[in-house]
Amino acid sequence: GEGGRRSCMVEPYGRRGRAFALLSDASKVLDEGKMLPSFQESVDGDERELESSEEGGGLSDERKLERSNNSYYCLYGYQSCRSQQGVDSDDGSPDSTAAETPSSDDFSLSLVDTNLPAEAEAELRSFIAKHLAKGTFFEGMGNITPVELSIPESQVGCYYCLLQSEKHSEEASSASSVCSLDYVVCFLGGSEKGLELFRLELDRYSQDLKINLDAKPHDLETCIQPLLKTWFEDSVCPIQRVVQLFQEKLAFVLHAALSYTPVEVRESDERTKNDINRFLRAASLQGLVQEATVTSLCMAMSEEQCKSMVIDCSGPQPQFHNAGSNRFCEEWTQVFLNGSEGGNPFLFRQILENFKLKAIQDINNLKRFIRQAEMNHYALFKCYLFLKNCGSGDVLLKIVKVEHAEMQEAKNVITVLEEFMRESAVA
């Protein structure tokens, strides 16, 4: 039956012999140049994608704008009178999730701080008021849209977010009607597409601002203004600064992020340490691979290496200890360094997203080859070809090994690939 045929096909992996004989031809094929699609083709495709994403075809005002790195901010006090509508739930009790959206007569906006010119600030205030009246604000979740203002750039990307005071949230839940003072923060710079790449960072930054506003609402100069003034430097520029700091050694950091290797930063100032941690978080595949896989990988890497990668920043140049790298990370490092010429921080994030996308594509291709190799020896040969060509075979094998830990036939294929990769590395 089907089970009998399947076990017959898998049997040679246990003996290794036939599988190794097939794989041994792979080196000859590689030498002859019969390889899978190259890294350069994928990078060229990424660059074309970046160019085509500029609206209007040519190198437009949007690209020139992002290169200028001008940024603006605006913080408004938002006073609203929200009335609980008293909609009953199924059990007859008042429904606490009733709509609270105020009409235009129920709220006011007052300027707390901005670096926008007066005319542009008035235009932004009108824009925000319209959206508040429509009820398109959700506490803690930012929106991003292009806005046209009376500033040199004319059109910029605008991130805006409602920050609801914790105290007023409690009052709102205990009273049928309450007038509260909340805040609306706006960060403006680059383009809509550029800011979209940093949505998570901007949401986190807004929450940090909210914590400060809750703790010290009247301490504008020392607690609030510094956060507003440095939003662009703190949220958008860390990836660019890390690339410029490490240069060719960036490959070590990319490899650590890809392989979930723990990283320890020593003797650095606070901003550099935060930059490195933000880069690692942004470069991680977390959220793109299964959560259980991430957890198992972190445990496996900790057990296997017993040592973190150490970045020592005590000298004039950062020094790396227990660092790993591979061809995939080295080639992407060159893409980052080539991007440094334009000085566009949004481009660095796009390159990082393309790096992660390529890694996920490679993982999915390898998993597909492994499924085929359970029944087909030629597919095992394709697995080996792929691992040799992709440049990150060491990391990919660890990831798929964790994902297939409970699948015996896939484990057999992975074991053969691991042993042959070790032998070919020694040779």
Side-chain angles (χ1 to χ4, degrees):
E2 180 67 26
R5 286 199 303 274
R6 193 170 179 81
S7 62
C8 287
M9 290 301 295
V10 173
E11 185 185 2
Y13 295 129
R15 298 199 305 267
R16 306 281 193 275
R18 186 177 169 195
F20 276 108
L22 282 164
L23 285 174
S24 65
D25 294 330
S27 298
K28 296 175 186 175
V29 175
L30 287 169
D31 291 340
E32 292 167 7
K34 298 175 184 176
M35 303 171 76
L36 295 170
S38 70
F39 167 84
Q40 190 57 50
E41 288 171 12
S42 74
V43 171
D44 290 343
D46 291 335
E47 289 178 349
R48 284 194 296 272
E49 181 183 337
L50 281 169
E51 292 301 325
S52 66
S53 72
E54 301 295 341
E55 292 183 7
L59 198 63
S60 64
D61 294 335
E62 180 177 297
R63 174 59 65 88
K64 293 173 188 172
L65 161 66
E66 290 183 353
R67 282 180 175 160
S68 73
N69 292 351
N70 285 342
S71 62
Y72 306 91
Y73 63 85
C74 202
L75 180 67
Y76 293 108
Y78 167 51
Q79 187 149 24
S80 63
C81 290
R82 295 186 298 268
S83 297
Q84 301 282 355
Q85 298 296 318
V87 178
D88 289 345
S89 61
D90 293 339
D91 61 2
S93 62
D95 187 352
S96 62
T97 62
E100 297 182 357
T101 303
S103 71
S104 57
D105 296 330
D106 294 327
F107 71 86
S108 65
L109 286 174
S110 57
L111 179 63
V112 177
D113 194 27
T114 188
N115 65 345
L116 280 168
E119 186 179 356
E121 184 279 315
E123 292 164 348
L124 179 64
R125 188 191 307 213
S126 174
F127 169 84
I128 294 297
K130 287 177 184 176
H131 282 265
L132 280 167
K134 290 177 183 176
T136 56
F137 276 63
F138 298 95
E139 202 282 325
M141 293 175 59
N143 295 292
I144 297 173
T145 188
V147 294
E148 292 192 9
L149 303 175
S150 298
I151 51 177
E153 298 84 1
S154 180
Q155 186 182 91
V156 290
C158 175
Y159 167 94
Y160 58 96
C161 185
L162 173 64
L163 307 177
Q164 207 167 53
S165 164
E166 291 295 334
K167 182 176 69 172
H168 295 139
S169 296
E170 292 167 9
E171 290 173 357
S173 64
S174 61
S176 60
S177 178
V178 63
C179 290
S180 63
L181 178 62
D182 300 320
Y183 296 92
V184 175
V185 65
C186 304
F187 297 132
L188 304 98
S191 68
E192 177 189 12
K193 291 179 181 177
L195 288 186
E196 277 288 357
L197 295 168
F198 293 91
R199 179 185 287 274
L200 291 178
E201 284 84 354
L202 292 172
D203 279 345
R204 278 194 291 263
Y205 202 79
S206 296
Q207 289 310 301
D208 290 341
L209 181 64
K210 175 185 170 180
I211 291 168
N212 279 25
L213 285 166
D214 280 339
K216 299 180 179 178
H218 305 296
D219 201 350
L220 179 65
E221 285 191 13
T222 58
C223 289
I224 312 303
Q225 240 177 18
L227 276 175
L228 292 171
K229 288 181 176 179
T230 60
W231 77 266
F232 192 84
E233 286 292 309
D234 292 344
S235 297
V236 175
C237 295
I239 294 172
Q240 182 179 29
R241 287 198 295 266
V242 168
V243 173
Q244 292 169 343
L245 173 66
F246 293 134
Q247 297 291 312
E248 301 284 349
K249 294 178 180 177
L250 184 71
F252 299 144
V253 185
L254 291 173
H255 189 270
L258 207 57
S259 62
Y260 298 90
T261 301
V263 176
E264 180 184 346
V265 182
R266 295 179 184 170
E267 303 293 330
S268 80
D269 59 80
E270 195 64 25
R271 188 172 86 158
T272 299
K273 187 173 183 178
N274 287 338
D275 282 354
I276 294 169
N277 288 332
R278 284 171 177 150
F279 185 97
L280 288 166
R281 184 165 56 203
S284 164
L285 299 184
Q286 197 155 3
L288 300 176
V289 297
Q290 297 172 15
E291 198 60 39
T293 301
V294 173
T295 305
S296 301
L297 271 170
C298 291
M299 292 174 59
M301 294 305 289
S302 299
E303 291 170 4
E304 178 184 320
Q305 296 180 357
C306 301
K307 291 182 180 179
S308 301
M309 182 180 81
V310 176
I311 305 175
D312 184 353
C313 300
S314 59
Q317 295 295 324
Q319 299 297 315
F320 287 77
H321 307 283
N322 308 320
S325 185
N326 57 32
R327 182 163 48 84
F328 180 81
C329 294
E330 289 162 4
E331 289 173 335
W332 277 97
T333 294
Q334 290 306 312
V335 179
F336 277 102
L337 296 180
N338 292 340
S340 299
E341 297 169 8
N344 178 355
F346 297 97
L347 179 61
F348 285 101
R349 182 53 181 265
Q350 185 62 66
I351 292 171
L352 192 58
E353 293 303 315
N354 291 341
F355 164 81
K356 291 157 63 175
L357 177 62
K358 187 67 173 72
I360 290 293
Q361 288 173 341
D362 286 350
I363 290 168
N364 289 337
N365 281 332
L366 180 58
K367 286 158 71 172
R368 179 165 52 85
F369 290 144
I370 287 173
R371 283 196 299 272
Q372 294 169 358
E374 292 175 21
M375 295 291 291
N376 183 320
H377 287 300
Y378 180 69
L380 180 66
F381 170 76
K382 285 170 65 178
C383 275
Y384 176 71
L385 271 182
F386 178 77
L387 286 169
K388 291 292 286 184
N389 188 50
C390 72
S392 58
D394 57 330
V395 175
L396 297 188
L397 269 177
K398 286 175 183 173
I399 292 173
V400 297
K401 185 177 182 179
V402 167
E403 286 198 10
H404 294 82
E406 305 301 320
M407 306 174 192
Q408 188 57 48
E409 291 168 1
K411 280 175 67 177
N412 290 340
V413 173
I414 293 167
T415 301
V416 171
L417 290 169
E418 283 181 322
E419 291 186 13
F420 199 82
M421 289 290 283
R422 278 195 297 268
E423 287 193 7
S424 64
V426 171

